[in-house]
Amino acid sequence: MANLVLYRKYRPQTFAEITGQEHVVQTIKNAISLGAISHAYIFSGPRGSGKTTIARLLAKAANCRERKPRNFEPCNKCSSCLEIMGTRSLDFIEIDAASHRGIDEIRELRDGVKFAPVKEKYKVFVIDECHQLTKEAANALLKTLEEPPNHAIFILATTEIHKMISTIISRCQRFDFRKLNLAEITSRLEFISDRENSRFEKSALELIALNSGGSIRDAESLLDQVLAFAGDLGKDREIKIKDIKELLGIADVEIIGKFVDLLREKNAAGALKLLQDIFEKGYDPQEFSKALIRYLRQVLILKISMDSVNPILIGLAKEDQEKMKAQVEKFSQKEIQTALNLFLDVENKTKYSSIPQLPLELATVDFINPKE
Ligand SMILES: Nc1ncnc2c1ncn2[C@@H]1O[C@H](COP(=O)(O)OP(=O)(O)O)[C@@H](O)[C@H]1O
Ligand SMILES: [Mg+2]
Ligand SMILES: [Zn+2]
């Protein structure tokens, strides 16, 4: 177990362990306990939100040999559960449509569907990234979905439901998964870091959650990196928000905040000096430009919708958000847009410039002293 990446090691093995997605979980639990499982489902939603996890739970619960009537949790001990968990069940077929897009694969699947399950009650087919099937393959799949045998359960998963043909969608019971919010992701990270016996400042875990884009999988991968890095710090040390910033390269936020202040104050000398100082310290101008653009974009979002900003979108710790808010008030929207346009060009120019920081310096001067 020790070498497993966290997101595999902590794939929930019961419905109780799923974070969020309450509407999906509740409906599926009811269907299982009532013995009213559909033959075709479509799970749509962002990556890392639990689609594959819930598909496997559904498959396990449907075939579990020890599940009591009116219960919905799989036992995770019987041969059927264990085979699905070890992905060696002959009656649980996962197809990745991103790499198996064609008609041949779907024909093969269609032929396979006709045969009764080898050992279990149901044959469960999970087709991941289903929107990537070719048109022909999608039509062949539709035929199968029109008259599925009683022993078959199809679960189609997709991150891009708008690319699926509507005739397939209408054959399936549809569930829309959503991005997880900050509190949900943070609590999942707390659970895992506890199990891993590592100590975190609460705001440190929050910062990881903030940088996950609403995907638990991505949050868990970040946590993996942090733990690997913390191993070098010494086992018992509490991991602080400062450590996370350093690791994720968010340390820039403070420097960039200062730089943006100088821009706003039209302090050309100060801004150029700051650039010079940090490049002497070994900062990469291209990385700095990227981080600056990200920062200015967040400033723009905050400017336009001060109240309705989603912290996940912003990806900043609370204290940094507060600082940014104060900064935003002193900026006009026009100024922010001008700065974004100027620095957007820099990113490309830096690649080709023989003096890598020159495009940044020029844009700085241009912003502070606009051309006539
Ligand atoms: N809702 C969730 N609750 C708990 N863990 C989750 C959830 N969604 C994703 N995860 C974590 O992320 C990993 C990948 O999730 P997965 O179900 O494969 O996402 P996808 O929606 O991309 O299929 C899981 O193994 C688990 O560790
Ligand atoms: Mg998946
Ligand atoms: Zn079982």
Side-chain angles (χ1 to χ4, degrees), residues 6-12 17-21 45-54 128 157 159 177 180 188 192 215-218 220:
L6 290 180
Y7 83 80
R8 291 230 184 85
K9 183 168 170 188
Y10 291 98
R11 191 187 284 286
E17 212 195 302
I18 297 280
T19 308
Q21 317 300 6
R47 63 187 235 104
S49 60
K51 301 182 299 297
T52 301
T53 304
I54 293 183
D128 212 1
T159 47
F177 287 57
L180 283 301
R188 182 74 188 159
I192 295 178
S215 156
I216 296 207
R217 188 201 350 238
D218 289 0
E220 289 169 353

PDB file of all heavy atoms in Angstrom, residues 6-12 17-21 45-54 128 157 159 177 180 188 192 215-218 220, ligand 1:
ATOM      1  N   LEU A   6      -1.772   8.741  -3.464  1.00  0.00           N
ATOM      2  CA  LEU A   6      -2.889   8.941  -2.534  1.00  0.00           C
ATOM      3  C   LEU A   6      -4.250   8.770  -3.184  1.00  0.00           C
ATOM      4  O   LEU A   6      -5.155   8.205  -2.609  1.00  0.00           O
ATOM      5  CB  LEU A   6      -2.802  10.333  -1.912  1.00  0.00           C
ATOM      6  CG  LEU A   6      -1.664  10.576  -0.926  1.00  0.00           C
ATOM      7  CD1 LEU A   6      -1.737  12.009  -0.415  1.00  0.00           C
ATOM      8  CD2 LEU A   6      -1.738   9.593   0.232  1.00  0.00           C
ATOM      9  N   TYR A   7      -4.396   9.271  -4.423  1.00  0.00           N
ATOM     10  CA  TYR A   7      -5.757   9.253  -4.954  1.00  0.00           C
ATOM     11  C   TYR A   7      -6.233   7.831  -5.252  1.00  0.00           C
ATOM     12  O   TYR A   7      -7.420   7.562  -5.283  1.00  0.00           O
ATOM     13  CB  TYR A   7      -5.907  10.200  -6.169  1.00  0.00           C
ATOM     14  CG  TYR A   7      -5.485   9.660  -7.503  1.00  0.00           C
ATOM     15  CD1 TYR A   7      -6.324   8.817  -8.226  1.00  0.00           C
ATOM     16  CD2 TYR A   7      -4.261  10.019  -8.061  1.00  0.00           C
ATOM     17  CE1 TYR A   7      -5.938   8.339  -9.464  1.00  0.00           C
ATOM     18  CE2 TYR A   7      -3.874   9.546  -9.296  1.00  0.00           C
ATOM     19  CZ  TYR A   7      -4.716   8.710  -9.990  1.00  0.00           C
ATOM     20  OH  TYR A   7      -4.323   8.231 -11.208  1.00  0.00           O
ATOM     21  N   ARG A   8      -5.287   6.899  -5.435  1.00  0.00           N
ATOM     22  CA  ARG A   8      -5.695   5.500  -5.587  1.00  0.00           C
ATOM     23  C   ARG A   8      -5.897   4.862  -4.224  1.00  0.00           C
ATOM     24  O   ARG A   8      -6.850   4.145  -3.983  1.00  0.00           O
ATOM     25  CB  ARG A   8      -4.620   4.704  -6.332  1.00  0.00           C
ATOM     26  CG  ARG A   8      -4.504   5.094  -7.749  1.00  0.00           C
ATOM     27  CD  ARG A   8      -4.546   3.853  -8.641  1.00  0.00           C
ATOM     28  NE  ARG A   8      -4.335   4.245 -10.013  1.00  0.00           N
ATOM     29  CZ  ARG A   8      -3.124   4.410 -10.555  1.00  0.00           C
ATOM     30  NH1 ARG A   8      -2.042   4.152  -9.843  1.00  0.00           N
ATOM     31  NH2 ARG A   8      -2.995   4.802 -11.801  1.00  0.00           N
ATOM     32  N   LYS A   9      -4.943   5.139  -3.340  1.00  0.00           N
ATOM     33  CA  LYS A   9      -4.993   4.547  -2.010  1.00  0.00           C
ATOM     34  C   LYS A   9      -6.291   4.932  -1.308  1.00  0.00           C
ATOM     35  O   LYS A   9      -6.854   4.134  -0.572  1.00  0.00           O
ATOM     36  CB  LYS A   9      -3.783   5.058  -1.226  1.00  0.00           C
ATOM     37  CG  LYS A   9      -3.633   4.492   0.160  1.00  0.00           C
ATOM     38  CD  LYS A   9      -2.234   4.849   0.690  1.00  0.00           C
ATOM     39  CE  LYS A   9      -2.099   4.532   2.158  1.00  0.00           C
ATOM     40  NZ  LYS A   9      -0.835   5.051   2.703  1.00  0.00           N
ATOM     41  N   TYR A  10      -6.758   6.145  -1.535  1.00  0.00           N
ATOM     42  CA  TYR A  10      -7.959   6.622  -0.840  1.00  0.00           C
ATOM     43  C   TYR A  10      -9.160   6.721  -1.754  1.00  0.00           C
ATOM     44  O   TYR A  10      -9.990   7.601  -1.593  1.00  0.00           O
ATOM     45  CB  TYR A  10      -7.673   7.959  -0.146  1.00  0.00           C
ATOM     46  CG  TYR A  10      -6.727   7.783   1.026  1.00  0.00           C
ATOM     47  CD1 TYR A  10      -5.366   8.033   0.883  1.00  0.00           C
ATOM     48  CD2 TYR A  10      -7.195   7.299   2.238  1.00  0.00           C
ATOM     49  CE1 TYR A  10      -4.493   7.832   1.942  1.00  0.00           C
ATOM     50  CE2 TYR A  10      -6.326   7.096   3.299  1.00  0.00           C
ATOM     51  CZ  TYR A  10      -4.979   7.364   3.145  1.00  0.00           C
ATOM     52  OH  TYR A  10      -4.126   7.166   4.190  1.00  0.00           O
ATOM     53  N   ARG A  11      -9.268   5.807  -2.706  1.00  0.00           N
ATOM     54  CA  ARG A  11     -10.515   5.767  -3.473  1.00  0.00           C
ATOM     55  C   ARG A  11     -11.595   5.215  -2.548  1.00  0.00           C
ATOM     56  O   ARG A  11     -11.438   4.126  -1.995  1.00  0.00           O
ATOM     57  CB  ARG A  11     -10.361   4.876  -4.710  1.00  0.00           C
ATOM     58  CG  ARG A  11     -11.534   5.022  -5.674  1.00  0.00           C
ATOM     59  CD  ARG A  11     -11.459   4.033  -6.808  1.00  0.00           C
ATOM     60  NE  ARG A  11     -10.479   4.342  -7.840  1.00  0.00           N
ATOM     61  CZ  ARG A  11     -10.618   5.297  -8.756  1.00  0.00           C
ATOM     62  NH1 ARG A  11     -11.679   6.070  -8.747  1.00  0.00           N
ATOM     63  NH2 ARG A  11      -9.692   5.486  -9.661  1.00  0.00           N
ATOM     64  N   PRO A  12     -12.688   5.963  -2.337  1.00  0.00           N
ATOM     65  CA  PRO A  12     -13.706   5.496  -1.383  1.00  0.00           C
ATOM     66  C   PRO A  12     -14.243   4.115  -1.777  1.00  0.00           C
ATOM     67  O   PRO A  12     -14.530   3.865  -2.947  1.00  0.00           O
ATOM     68  CB  PRO A  12     -14.808   6.554  -1.499  1.00  0.00           C
ATOM     69  CG  PRO A  12     -14.093   7.794  -1.935  1.00  0.00           C
ATOM     70  CD  PRO A  12     -13.004   7.311  -2.849  1.00  0.00           C
ATOM     71  N   GLU A  17     -18.338   7.020   2.325  1.00  0.00           N
ATOM     72  CA  GLU A  17     -17.065   7.735   2.300  1.00  0.00           C
ATOM     73  C   GLU A  17     -16.995   8.805   1.200  1.00  0.00           C
ATOM     74  O   GLU A  17     -16.043   9.575   1.143  1.00  0.00           O
ATOM     75  CB  GLU A  17     -15.920   6.724   2.118  1.00  0.00           C
ATOM     76  CG  GLU A  17     -14.632   7.140   2.812  1.00  0.00           C
ATOM     77  CD  GLU A  17     -13.450   6.334   2.319  1.00  0.00           C
ATOM     78  OE1 GLU A  17     -13.487   5.090   2.431  1.00  0.00           O
ATOM     79  OE2 GLU A  17     -12.496   6.942   1.816  1.00  0.00           O
ATOM     80  N   ILE A  18     -17.998   8.842   0.345  1.00  0.00           N
ATOM     81  CA  ILE A  18     -17.993   9.833  -0.738  1.00  0.00           C
ATOM     82  C   ILE A  18     -18.219  11.238  -0.174  1.00  0.00           C
ATOM     83  O   ILE A  18     -19.077  11.448   0.661  1.00  0.00           O
ATOM     84  CB  ILE A  18     -19.123   9.531  -1.762  1.00  0.00           C
ATOM     85  CG1 ILE A  18     -18.884   8.178  -2.441  1.00  0.00           C
ATOM     86  CG2 ILE A  18     -19.268  10.645  -2.781  1.00  0.00           C
ATOM     87  CD1 ILE A  18     -17.872   8.213  -3.543  1.00  0.00           C
ATOM     88  N   THR A  19     -17.421  12.170  -0.634  1.00  0.00           N
ATOM     89  CA  THR A  19     -17.599  13.567  -0.247  1.00  0.00           C
ATOM     90  C   THR A  19     -18.517  14.243  -1.263  1.00  0.00           C
ATOM     91  O   THR A  19     -18.308  14.089  -2.466  1.00  0.00           O
ATOM     92  CB  THR A  19     -16.239  14.292  -0.275  1.00  0.00           C
ATOM     93  OG1 THR A  19     -15.300  13.546   0.493  1.00  0.00           O
ATOM     94  CG2 THR A  19     -16.352  15.690   0.272  1.00  0.00           C
ATOM     95  N   GLY A  20     -19.499  14.988  -0.787  1.00  0.00           N
ATOM     96  CA  GLY A  20     -20.374  15.744  -1.693  1.00  0.00           C
ATOM     97  C   GLY A  20     -21.190  14.845  -2.616  1.00  0.00           C
ATOM     98  O   GLY A  20     -21.417  13.680  -2.308  1.00  0.00           O
ATOM     99  N   GLN A  21     -21.632  15.401  -3.749  1.00  0.00           N
ATOM    100  CA  GLN A  21     -22.447  14.667  -4.744  1.00  0.00           C
ATOM    101  C   GLN A  21     -23.661  14.007  -4.084  1.00  0.00           C
ATOM    102  O   GLN A  21     -24.091  12.927  -4.485  1.00  0.00           O
ATOM    103  CB  GLN A  21     -21.627  13.585  -5.495  1.00  0.00           C
ATOM    104  CG  GLN A  21     -20.250  13.978  -5.947  1.00  0.00           C
ATOM    105  CD  GLN A  21     -20.200  15.164  -6.907  1.00  0.00           C
ATOM    106  OE1 GLN A  21     -21.213  15.806  -7.173  1.00  0.00           O
ATOM    107  NE2 GLN A  21     -19.036  15.485  -7.407  1.00  0.00           N
ATOM    108  N   GLY A  45     -19.662  15.335 -15.630  1.00  0.00           N
ATOM    109  CA  GLY A  45     -19.095  16.265 -14.650  1.00  0.00           C
ATOM    110  C   GLY A  45     -17.585  16.367 -14.765  1.00  0.00           C
ATOM    111  O   GLY A  45     -16.960  15.609 -15.505  1.00  0.00           O
ATOM    112  N   PRO A  46     -17.013  17.304 -14.021  1.00  0.00           N
ATOM    113  CA  PRO A  46     -15.579  17.574 -14.129  1.00  0.00           C
ATOM    114  C   PRO A  46     -14.716  16.408 -13.649  1.00  0.00           C
ATOM    115  O   PRO A  46     -15.198  15.537 -12.925  1.00  0.00           O
ATOM    116  CB  PRO A  46     -15.374  18.792 -13.231  1.00  0.00           C
ATOM    117  CG  PRO A  46     -16.523  18.788 -12.288  1.00  0.00           C
ATOM    118  CD  PRO A  46     -17.667  18.160 -13.011  1.00  0.00           C
ATOM    119  N   ARG A  47     -13.468  16.422 -14.055  1.00  0.00           N
ATOM    120  CA  ARG A  47     -12.562  15.340 -13.656  1.00  0.00           C
ATOM    121  C   ARG A  47     -12.324  15.377 -12.147  1.00  0.00           C
ATOM    122  O   ARG A  47     -12.383  16.432 -11.518  1.00  0.00           O
ATOM    123  CB  ARG A  47     -11.243  15.424 -14.420  1.00  0.00           C
ATOM    124  CG  ARG A  47     -10.447  16.699 -14.150  1.00  0.00           C
ATOM    125  CD  ARG A  47      -9.231  16.810 -15.050  1.00  0.00           C
ATOM    126  NE  ARG A  47      -8.018  16.980 -14.247  1.00  0.00           N
ATOM    127  CZ  ARG A  47      -7.147  16.020 -14.032  1.00  0.00           C
ATOM    128  NH1 ARG A  47      -7.313  14.826 -14.548  1.00  0.00           N
ATOM    129  NH2 ARG A  47      -6.077  16.250 -13.299  1.00  0.00           N
ATOM    130  N   GLY A  48     -12.070  14.193 -11.617  1.00  0.00           N
ATOM    131  CA  GLY A  48     -11.749  14.119 -10.192  1.00  0.00           C
ATOM    132  C   GLY A  48     -12.910  14.437  -9.279  1.00  0.00           C
ATOM    133  O   GLY A  48     -12.716  14.890  -8.157  1.00  0.00           O
ATOM    134  N   SER A  49     -14.136  14.202  -9.740  1.00  0.00           N
ATOM    135  CA  SER A  49     -15.288  14.519  -8.894  1.00  0.00           C
ATOM    136  C   SER A  49     -16.008  13.269  -8.394  1.00  0.00           C
ATOM    137  O   SER A  49     -16.988  13.365  -7.669  1.00  0.00           O
ATOM    138  CB  SER A  49     -16.263  15.433  -9.643  1.00  0.00           C
ATOM    139  OG  SER A  49     -16.736  14.803 -10.809  1.00  0.00           O
ATOM    140  N   GLY A  50     -15.547  12.087  -8.817  1.00  0.00           N
ATOM    141  CA  GLY A  50     -16.093  10.850  -8.266  1.00  0.00           C
ATOM    142  C   GLY A  50     -16.858   9.961  -9.240  1.00  0.00           C
ATOM    143  O   GLY A  50     -17.482   8.993  -8.819  1.00  0.00           O
ATOM    144  N   LYS A  51     -16.793  10.251 -10.531  1.00  0.00           N
ATOM    145  CA  LYS A  51     -17.573   9.461 -11.494  1.00  0.00           C
ATOM    146  C   LYS A  51     -17.133   7.990 -11.525  1.00  0.00           C
ATOM    147  O   LYS A  51     -17.942   7.080 -11.352  1.00  0.00           O
ATOM    148  CB  LYS A  51     -17.470  10.071 -12.908  1.00  0.00           C
ATOM    149  CG  LYS A  51     -17.976  11.498 -12.979  1.00  0.00           C
ATOM    150  CD  LYS A  51     -17.914  12.071 -14.385  1.00  0.00           C
ATOM    151  CE  LYS A  51     -16.511  12.134 -14.960  1.00  0.00           C
ATOM    152  NZ  LYS A  51     -15.599  13.024 -14.195  1.00  0.00           N
ATOM    153  N   THR A  52     -15.841   7.766 -11.733  1.00  0.00           N
ATOM    154  CA  THR A  52     -15.345   6.396 -11.781  1.00  0.00           C
ATOM    155  C   THR A  52     -15.555   5.701 -10.434  1.00  0.00           C
ATOM    156  O   THR A  52     -15.945   4.535 -10.363  1.00  0.00           O
ATOM    157  CB  THR A  52     -13.841   6.378 -12.147  1.00  0.00           C
ATOM    158  OG1 THR A  52     -13.693   7.009 -13.414  1.00  0.00           O
ATOM    159  CG2 THR A  52     -13.301   4.971 -12.210  1.00  0.00           C
ATOM    160  N   THR A  53     -15.308   6.445  -9.364  1.00  0.00           N
ATOM    161  CA  THR A  53     -15.457   5.881  -8.022  1.00  0.00           C
ATOM    162  C   THR A  53     -16.888   5.384  -7.794  1.00  0.00           C
ATOM    163  O   THR A  53     -17.097   4.262  -7.317  1.00  0.00           O
ATOM    164  CB  THR A  53     -15.117   6.964  -6.972  1.00  0.00           C
ATOM    165  OG1 THR A  53     -13.801   7.452  -7.245  1.00  0.00           O
ATOM    166  CG2 THR A  53     -15.174   6.405  -5.569  1.00  0.00           C
ATOM    167  N   ILE A  54     -17.864   6.200  -8.145  1.00  0.00           N
ATOM    168  CA  ILE A  54     -19.253   5.812  -7.905  1.00  0.00           C
ATOM    169  C   ILE A  54     -19.675   4.714  -8.884  1.00  0.00           C
ATOM    170  O   ILE A  54     -20.436   3.810  -8.520  1.00  0.00           O
ATOM    171  CB  ILE A  54     -20.180   7.049  -7.939  1.00  0.00           C
ATOM    172  CG1 ILE A  54     -19.838   7.929  -6.732  1.00  0.00           C
ATOM    173  CG2 ILE A  54     -21.654   6.644  -7.917  1.00  0.00           C
ATOM    174  CD1 ILE A  54     -20.700   9.157  -6.552  1.00  0.00           C
ATOM    175  N   ASP A 128     -15.609   5.153 -20.164  1.00  0.00           N
ATOM    176  CA  ASP A 128     -15.085   6.421 -19.677  1.00  0.00           C
ATOM    177  C   ASP A 128     -14.834   7.368 -20.855  1.00  0.00           C
ATOM    178  O   ASP A 128     -14.506   6.915 -21.946  1.00  0.00           O
ATOM    179  CB  ASP A 128     -13.773   6.151 -18.925  1.00  0.00           C
ATOM    180  CG  ASP A 128     -13.581   7.135 -17.792  1.00  0.00           C
ATOM    181  OD1 ASP A 128     -14.456   7.994 -17.596  1.00  0.00           O
ATOM    182  OD2 ASP A 128     -12.554   7.040 -17.110  1.00  0.00           O
ATOM    183  N   ALA A 157     -19.414   7.574 -18.679  1.00  0.00           N
ATOM    184  CA  ALA A 157     -18.902   8.739 -17.942  1.00  0.00           C
ATOM    185  C   ALA A 157     -18.322   9.730 -18.941  1.00  0.00           C
ATOM    186  O   ALA A 157     -17.719   9.330 -19.944  1.00  0.00           O
ATOM    187  CB  ALA A 157     -17.829   8.304 -16.948  1.00  0.00           C
ATOM    188  N   THR A 159     -16.686  13.996 -19.335  1.00  0.00           N
ATOM    189  CA  THR A 159     -16.431  15.344 -18.830  1.00  0.00           C
ATOM    190  C   THR A 159     -17.039  16.384 -19.782  1.00  0.00           C
ATOM    191  O   THR A 159     -17.000  17.575 -19.500  1.00  0.00           O
ATOM    192  CB  THR A 159     -14.911  15.608 -18.728  1.00  0.00           C
ATOM    193  OG1 THR A 159     -14.305  15.184 -19.959  1.00  0.00           O
ATOM    194  CG2 THR A 159     -14.297  14.846 -17.577  1.00  0.00           C
ATOM    195  N   PHE A 177     -22.538  15.465 -11.965  1.00  0.00           N
ATOM    196  CA  PHE A 177     -21.614  15.654 -10.846  1.00  0.00           C
ATOM    197  C   PHE A 177     -21.145  17.097 -10.864  1.00  0.00           C
ATOM    198  O   PHE A 177     -21.040  17.709 -11.916  1.00  0.00           O
ATOM    199  CB  PHE A 177     -20.395  14.725 -10.991  1.00  0.00           C
ATOM    200  CG  PHE A 177     -20.692  13.282 -10.718  1.00  0.00           C
ATOM    201  CD1 PHE A 177     -21.668  12.600 -11.431  1.00  0.00           C
ATOM    202  CD2 PHE A 177     -19.980  12.589  -9.754  1.00  0.00           C
ATOM    203  CE1 PHE A 177     -21.938  11.259 -11.184  1.00  0.00           C
ATOM    204  CE2 PHE A 177     -20.230  11.248  -9.492  1.00  0.00           C
ATOM    205  CZ  PHE A 177     -21.218  10.583 -10.209  1.00  0.00           C
ATOM    206  N   LEU A 180     -16.252  20.015  -6.423  1.00  0.00           N
ATOM    207  CA  LEU A 180     -16.368  20.034  -4.976  1.00  0.00           C
ATOM    208  C   LEU A 180     -16.009  21.430  -4.468  1.00  0.00           C
ATOM    209  O   LEU A 180     -15.204  22.122  -5.098  1.00  0.00           O
ATOM    210  CB  LEU A 180     -15.431  19.002  -4.367  1.00  0.00           C
ATOM    211  CG  LEU A 180     -15.852  17.516  -4.433  1.00  0.00           C
ATOM    212  CD1 LEU A 180     -17.193  17.328  -3.733  1.00  0.00           C
ATOM    213  CD2 LEU A 180     -15.933  16.952  -5.823  1.00  0.00           C
ATOM    214  N   ARG A 188     -11.815  16.436   3.162  1.00  0.00           N
ATOM    215  CA  ARG A 188     -11.231  15.201   2.616  1.00  0.00           C
ATOM    216  C   ARG A 188      -9.715  15.170   2.861  1.00  0.00           C
ATOM    217  O   ARG A 188      -9.138  14.148   3.229  1.00  0.00           O
ATOM    218  CB  ARG A 188     -11.535  15.121   1.115  1.00  0.00           C
ATOM    219  CG  ARG A 188     -11.029  13.886   0.424  1.00  0.00           C
ATOM    220  CD  ARG A 188     -11.857  12.667   0.761  1.00  0.00           C
ATOM    221  NE  ARG A 188     -11.252  11.447   0.234  1.00  0.00           N
ATOM    222  CZ  ARG A 188     -11.516  10.229   0.690  1.00  0.00           C
ATOM    223  NH1 ARG A 188     -12.376  10.061   1.669  1.00  0.00           N
ATOM    224  NH2 ARG A 188     -10.938   9.184   0.168  1.00  0.00           N
ATOM    225  N   ILE A 192      -7.428  12.436   5.035  1.00  0.00           N
ATOM    226  CA  ILE A 192      -6.276  11.699   4.515  1.00  0.00           C
ATOM    227  C   ILE A 192      -4.995  12.026   5.283  1.00  0.00           C
ATOM    228  O   ILE A 192      -4.234  11.126   5.643  1.00  0.00           O
ATOM    229  CB  ILE A 192      -6.080  11.983   3.003  1.00  0.00           C
ATOM    230  CG1 ILE A 192      -7.280  11.425   2.231  1.00  0.00           C
ATOM    231  CG2 ILE A 192      -4.780  11.379   2.496  1.00  0.00           C
ATOM    232  CD1 ILE A 192      -7.231  11.679   0.750  1.00  0.00           C
ATOM    233  N   SER A 215     -11.270  19.759  -7.964  1.00  0.00           N
ATOM    234  CA  SER A 215     -11.114  18.325  -8.207  1.00  0.00           C
ATOM    235  C   SER A 215     -10.436  17.670  -7.005  1.00  0.00           C
ATOM    236  O   SER A 215      -9.335  18.058  -6.612  1.00  0.00           O
ATOM    237  CB  SER A 215     -10.259  18.108  -9.467  1.00  0.00           C
ATOM    238  OG  SER A 215      -9.629  16.839  -9.442  1.00  0.00           O
ATOM    239  N   ILE A 216     -11.120  16.692  -6.413  1.00  0.00           N
ATOM    240  CA  ILE A 216     -10.505  16.016  -5.262  1.00  0.00           C
ATOM    241  C   ILE A 216      -9.243  15.287  -5.700  1.00  0.00           C
ATOM    242  O   ILE A 216      -8.257  15.242  -4.997  1.00  0.00           O
ATOM    243  CB  ILE A 216     -11.480  15.037  -4.585  1.00  0.00           C
ATOM    244  CG1 ILE A 216     -12.669  15.814  -4.014  1.00  0.00           C
ATOM    245  CG2 ILE A 216     -10.783  14.251  -3.474  1.00  0.00           C
ATOM    246  CD1 ILE A 216     -13.342  15.147  -2.836  1.00  0.00           C
ATOM    247  N   ARG A 217      -9.290  14.715  -6.898  1.00  0.00           N
ATOM    248  CA  ARG A 217      -8.104  14.007  -7.342  1.00  0.00           C
ATOM    249  C   ARG A 217      -6.900  14.948  -7.396  1.00  0.00           C
ATOM    250  O   ARG A 217      -5.813  14.617  -6.936  1.00  0.00           O
ATOM    251  CB  ARG A 217      -8.291  13.362  -8.710  1.00  0.00           C
ATOM    252  CG  ARG A 217      -7.092  12.487  -9.037  1.00  0.00           C
ATOM    253  CD  ARG A 217      -6.869  12.184 -10.494  1.00  0.00           C
ATOM    254  NE  ARG A 217      -7.923  12.577 -11.352  1.00  0.00           N
ATOM    255  CZ  ARG A 217      -8.568  11.742 -12.141  1.00  0.00           C
ATOM    256  NH1 ARG A 217      -8.269  10.485 -12.148  1.00  0.00           N
ATOM    257  NH2 ARG A 217      -9.492  12.204 -12.937  1.00  0.00           N
ATOM    258  N   ASP A 218      -7.090  16.133  -7.972  1.00  0.00           N
ATOM    259  CA  ASP A 218      -5.976  17.073  -8.072  1.00  0.00           C
ATOM    260  C   ASP A 218      -5.514  17.518  -6.683  1.00  0.00           C
ATOM    261  O   ASP A 218      -4.312  17.678  -6.440  1.00  0.00           O
ATOM    262  CB  ASP A 218      -6.361  18.284  -8.926  1.00  0.00           C
ATOM    263  CG  ASP A 218      -6.489  17.905 -10.394  1.00  0.00           C
ATOM    264  OD1 ASP A 218      -6.266  16.718 -10.709  1.00  0.00           O
ATOM    265  OD2 ASP A 218      -6.820  18.774 -11.218  1.00  0.00           O
ATOM    266  N   GLU A 220      -5.634  15.726  -4.006  1.00  0.00           N
ATOM    267  CA  GLU A 220      -4.874  14.620  -3.433  1.00  0.00           C
ATOM    268  C   GLU A 220      -3.489  14.502  -4.068  1.00  0.00           C
ATOM    269  O   GLU A 220      -2.514  14.154  -3.391  1.00  0.00           O
ATOM    270  CB  GLU A 220      -5.662  13.319  -3.584  1.00  0.00           C
ATOM    271  CG  GLU A 220      -6.887  13.288  -2.669  1.00  0.00           C
ATOM    272  CD  GLU A 220      -7.861  12.144  -2.952  1.00  0.00           C
ATOM    273  OE1 GLU A 220      -7.670  11.416  -3.950  1.00  0.00           O
ATOM    274  OE2 GLU A 220      -8.819  11.974  -2.179  1.00  0.00           O
TER     275      GLU A 220
HETATM  276  N1  LIG B   1     -16.618  12.767  -4.335  1.00  0.00           N
HETATM  277  C1  LIG B   1     -15.459  12.236  -3.913  1.00  0.00           C
HETATM  278  N2  LIG B   1     -15.306  11.846  -2.631  1.00  0.00           N
HETATM  279  C2  LIG B   1     -14.142  11.324  -2.187  1.00  0.00           C
HETATM  280  N3  LIG B   1     -13.053  11.133  -2.966  1.00  0.00           N
HETATM  281  C3  LIG B   1     -13.132  11.521  -4.264  1.00  0.00           C
HETATM  282  C4  LIG B   1     -14.339  12.068  -4.792  1.00  0.00           C
HETATM  283  N4  LIG B   1     -14.135  12.350  -6.094  1.00  0.00           N
HETATM  284  C5  LIG B   1     -12.874  11.992  -6.366  1.00  0.00           C
HETATM  285  N5  LIG B   1     -12.262  11.490  -5.279  1.00  0.00           N
HETATM  286  C6  LIG B   1     -10.853  11.070  -5.192  1.00  0.00           C
HETATM  287  O1  LIG B   1     -10.267  11.268  -6.475  1.00  0.00           O
HETATM  288  C7  LIG B   1      -9.892  10.041  -7.075  1.00  0.00           C
HETATM  289  C8  LIG B   1     -10.332  10.035  -8.519  1.00  0.00           C
HETATM  290  O2  LIG B   1     -11.740  10.115  -8.592  1.00  0.00           O
HETATM  291  P1  LIG B   1     -12.550   9.513  -9.834  1.00  0.00           P
HETATM  292  O3  LIG B   1     -13.797   8.937  -9.300  1.00  0.00           O
HETATM  293  O4  LIG B   1     -11.678   8.614 -10.632  1.00  0.00           O
HETATM  294  O5  LIG B   1     -12.844  10.851 -10.634  1.00  0.00           O
HETATM  295  P2  LIG B   1     -13.525  11.033 -12.065  1.00  0.00           P
HETATM  296  O6  LIG B   1     -14.744  11.895 -11.805  1.00  0.00           O
HETATM  297  O7  LIG B   1     -12.492  11.768 -12.870  1.00  0.00           O
HETATM  298  O8  LIG B   1     -13.847   9.680 -12.604  1.00  0.00           O
HETATM  299  C9  LIG B   1     -10.566   8.979  -6.248  1.00  0.00           C
HETATM  300  O9  LIG B   1      -9.783   7.808  -6.218  1.00  0.00           O
HETATM  301  C10 LIG B   1     -10.657   9.606  -4.867  1.00  0.00           C
HETATM  302  O10 LIG B   1      -9.432   9.455  -4.206  1.00  0.00           O
END
